[in-house]
Amino acid sequence: MKSMKRFKRGIILILSLALVIVAGCQAIQGVDFNTVLKNTFKVTSAESKQSVELKLLMNEEAYEGMPEEEIALMKLFSSLKIQLDSVKIQDASHASYAGKLIVGDNVSIGFSIKQSDTTAVIEVEGAKLPIVIDVTGSGIGSMLGTAELDAAAADSDEEAVTAIGKEIMDSATSFFIDNLPNPDKLSVNAVQEPINGVTTSLFHVKAELSGTEIWAWVKKYVDVLASDRDGLESFVKQIVAIMNSHPELFEEMGVDPFEQSGLDMPTTEDMIKEMTDELEALFVSLQDELKAMEEEGGEDLKHIFNNDSSIKAELYVDSKMDIRKQAIDLTLKPSEQALFPLDGLSLHVESEMWNVNGKVEADVPVVPEKAVYSHELDAMQGYQFLRLFDKQSAAYGLLDQLQIGKQTVELPVDYSRYPAIVTPKYVTIVPLRTVAEQLGATVKYDKKTKSVTVYDEVANTTIVLKEGSDRVTVNGKAKTWSFVTKSVDGTLYVAGRDFANALGAKVRWDDSWGSDVFVIEREVH
């Protein structure tokens, strides 16, 4: 029960912080904050540079009894930063990004992404080949599973969905943003600030909320949403009007929920009232949930929403009410171990934007003759992905430290299908094909010789064996294994330890989950 309460508190916390980050306000000193926020949803093209940095404050007690390798990883990933030095958004389908991933204090990996309406090409520093992803739109019919569309129809439908989405977003922002209350600590000043090297006249907006103020702000916002019945009904009417103005959407779906036929069918007005009632009930339910949390866990909430936690935001807004530059800092430091093994965390977000809704030309993706395609990645073993990178590269070192090449096959003895079996001679036998394929090896059966051949790329090993025999050949050399190859319920089983040794793997037993599990594992570089 305690873990469930912590989970619920965490969900409410994340929701609360998200609401605060998108907080809007009434106009102050010439800055209409609601317009500012609405404009962020209307940006269709722009150039920018951005960064997001997350720092985790680890509790030292969490390291007790932990292996040194795991401690090193936790310390390494306690600091993560994505730095985008060049972002070019041409339109909804064409964009390019160039930057780096910074892990810890010393690991820096450059990357670039170039996307068109059909293809995205990802290049990572240290990778031997670029990664190519097919991003072709599939159209409304395919998304809904109701129709197969040709390419021309798919393009048309994708444009229709985009248009509908923009109209709905405008309506949603009008309701949710217009109701946002002001933070108490808010200031606005006129300044001159460089944007992409050009001195620009801007409004400098500073806002700050402590943890205790965040909780009060969220409750106030939910109260406003729950009490604005007229605004909610107007919002629903706008959504219904938008949907009715796009009959092509319902033609693809094969059903029109607003079509009225028959005396007992609900009218559009009935449906609007029902939808409004449901949304209103949702906000009232959220009100009740917040009140219940205060009554049941008031002290716990105080530990999270305390004065050591805060959100600070600095925005630079131009005369068109577009955000041109911003820096947001979120600090979360519970007064007790509410986030154990973390003592707290901090998030820093920066961005600078220019050429907003202007003519932007994104870098064009070019697919080279040699590349790795996304469907190939899906079928790759971890070690195969690791080998896409030069061994001297930072990316390879990071992936290797994450043990991406480690292969583990777990076979509980109480599996209903393909379990590990301990024989009366205390030899553990395992399902051949299951183990081989999880390790990336291939298995072939020769009907003429009635022999099975296993080839493992990692160990460059070929094993040939037959059912009913304990004699095998490993790379052409005859061996005798500790148990005969045996068929169990139609599945071929072999001696587990012998099979693992032949492939350069190790075996062990693990009972940490309350059940005996036979584990085969190896580290591949």
Side-chain angles (χ1 to χ4, degrees), residues 239-301:
I239 299 303
V240 171
I242 291 169
M243 302 299 282
N244 274 328
S245 67
H246 292 277
E248 71 276 7
L249 177 66
F250 300 118
E251 289 177 8
E252 284 298 330
M253 293 172 62
V255 60
D256 185 348
F258 302 108
E259 184 179 0
Q260 302 172 27
S261 61
L263 295 177
D264 297 326
M265 293 295 293
T267 64
T268 300
E269 288 70 25
D270 292 334
M271 297 180 70
I272 289 173
K273 182 180 183 304
E274 182 180 351
M275 292 167 66
T276 304
D277 290 343
E278 290 179 358
L279 286 173
E280 184 178 42
L282 178 65
F283 292 127
V284 171
S285 175
L286 184 54
Q287 274 184 309
D288 294 339
E289 179 70 19
L290 295 177
K291 290 177 182 177
M293 287 181 67
E294 284 189 317
E295 294 172 359
E296 297 173 7
E299 290 302 315
D300 289 338
L301 288 175

Side-chain angles (χ1 to χ4, degrees), residues 188-194 199-205 315-317:
V188 179
N189 295 294
V191 297
Q192 298 286 315
E193 187 75 12
T199 301
T200 309
S201 297
L202 300 165
F203 294 104
H204 180 203
V205 182
L315 308 179
Y316 293 84
V317 182

Side-chain angles (χ1 to χ4, degrees), residues 137-147 149 153-154 156-158 160-161 164 248-253:
S138 55
I140 297 175
S142 296
M143 287 189 287
L144 297 173
T146 57
L149 304 176
S156 174
D157 289 337
E158 199 170 335
V161 170
I164 294 171
E248 71 276 7
L249 177 66
F250 300 118
E251 289 177 8
E252 284 298 330
M253 293 172 62

Side-chain angles (χ1 to χ4, degrees), residues 135-383:
V135 294
T136 305
S138 55
I140 297 175
S142 296
M143 287 189 287
L144 297 173
T146 57
E148 290 294 330
L149 304 176
D150 59 25
D155 290 342
S156 174
D157 289 337
E158 199 170 335
E159 291 176 5
V161 170
T162 301
I164 294 171
K166 287 181 179 178
E167 292 180 54
I168 292 176
M169 183 64 72
D170 287 342
S171 299
T173 53
S174 295
F175 174 68
F176 288 100
I177 293 178
D178 287 346
N179 275 313
L180 285 164
N182 286 16
D184 294 331
K185 299 175 184 177
L186 183 68
S187 65
V188 179
N189 295 294
V191 297
Q192 298 286 315
E193 187 75 12
I195 302 293
N196 192 34
V198 178
T199 301
T200 309
S201 297
L202 300 165
F203 294 104
H204 180 203
V205 182
K206 293 180 69 174
E208 182 178 348
L209 286 169
S210 68
T212 53
E213 292 168 334
I214 290 171
W215 182 253
W217 186 94
V218 170
K219 290 195 301 177
K220 182 178 179 181
Y221 182 35
V222 174
D223 289 343
V224 171
L225 292 177
S227 62
D228 188 9
R229 170 79 187 194
D230 291 341
L232 193 57
E233 184 174 352
S234 175
F235 165 58
V236 172
K237 286 181 178 178
Q238 290 178 48
I239 299 303
V240 171
I242 291 169
M243 302 299 282
N244 274 328
S245 67
H246 292 277
E248 71 276 7
L249 177 66
F250 300 118
E251 289 177 8
E252 284 298 330
M253 293 172 62
V255 60
D256 185 348
F258 302 108
E259 184 179 0
Q260 302 172 27
S261 61
L263 295 177
D264 297 326
M265 293 295 293
T267 64
T268 300
E269 288 70 25
D270 292 334
M271 297 180 70
I272 289 173
K273 182 180 183 304
E274 182 180 351
M275 292 167 66
T276 304
D277 290 343
E278 290 179 358
L279 286 173
E280 184 178 42
L282 178 65
F283 292 127
V284 171
S285 175
L286 184 54
Q287 274 184 309
D288 294 339
E289 179 70 19
L290 295 177
K291 290 177 182 177
M293 287 181 67
E294 284 189 317
E295 294 172 359
E296 297 173 7
E299 290 302 315
D300 289 338
L301 288 175
K302 290 178 182 178
H303 292 316
I304 296 176
F305 293 95
N306 57 33
N307 288 325
D308 291 328
S309 300
S310 65
I311 289 181
K312 300 177 183 179
E314 290 191 64
L315 308 179
Y316 293 84
V317 182
D318 65 15
S319 58
K320 296 179 181 179
M321 297 297 106
D322 288 326
I323 296 175
R324 302 293 300 280
K325 191 174 185 178
Q326 62 180 324
I328 299 173
D329 285 286
L330 163 65
T331 301
L332 180 60
K333 289 184 178 180
S335 52
E336 287 197 356
Q337 294 184 350
L339 295 178
F340 189 84
L342 300 180
D343 281 337
L345 59 84
S346 66
L347 181 68
H348 178 74
V349 180
E350 280 189 15
S351 68
E352 185 175 316
M353 186 180 297
W354 59 94
N355 199 11
V356 180
N357 291 327
K359 184 177 181 180
V360 178
E361 292 186 6
D363 297 333
V364 179
V366 177
V367 180
E369 291 185 9
K370 292 184 179 181
V372 178
Y373 290 83
S374 54
H375 67 273
E376 295 176 304
L377 291 177
D378 294 338
M380 278 186 182
Q381 292 280 330
Y383 74 87

Side-chain angles (χ1 to χ4, degrees), residues 421 423-432 464-472 479-488 491-499:
I421 300 172
T423 68
K425 293 183 178 181
Y426 297 104
V427 175
T428 302
I429 59 176
V430 298
L432 173 64
V464 181
L465 44 79
K466 288 185 178 182
E467 181 182 353
S469 173
D470 60 1
R471 298 288 291 171
V472 303
K479 303 278 186 179
T480 300
W481 281 1
S482 55
F483 203 81
V484 298
T485 300
K486 181 179 178 65
S487 178
V488 180
T491 298
L492 205 60
Y493 272 71
V494 296
R497 185 177 297 275
D498 293 325
F499 186 47

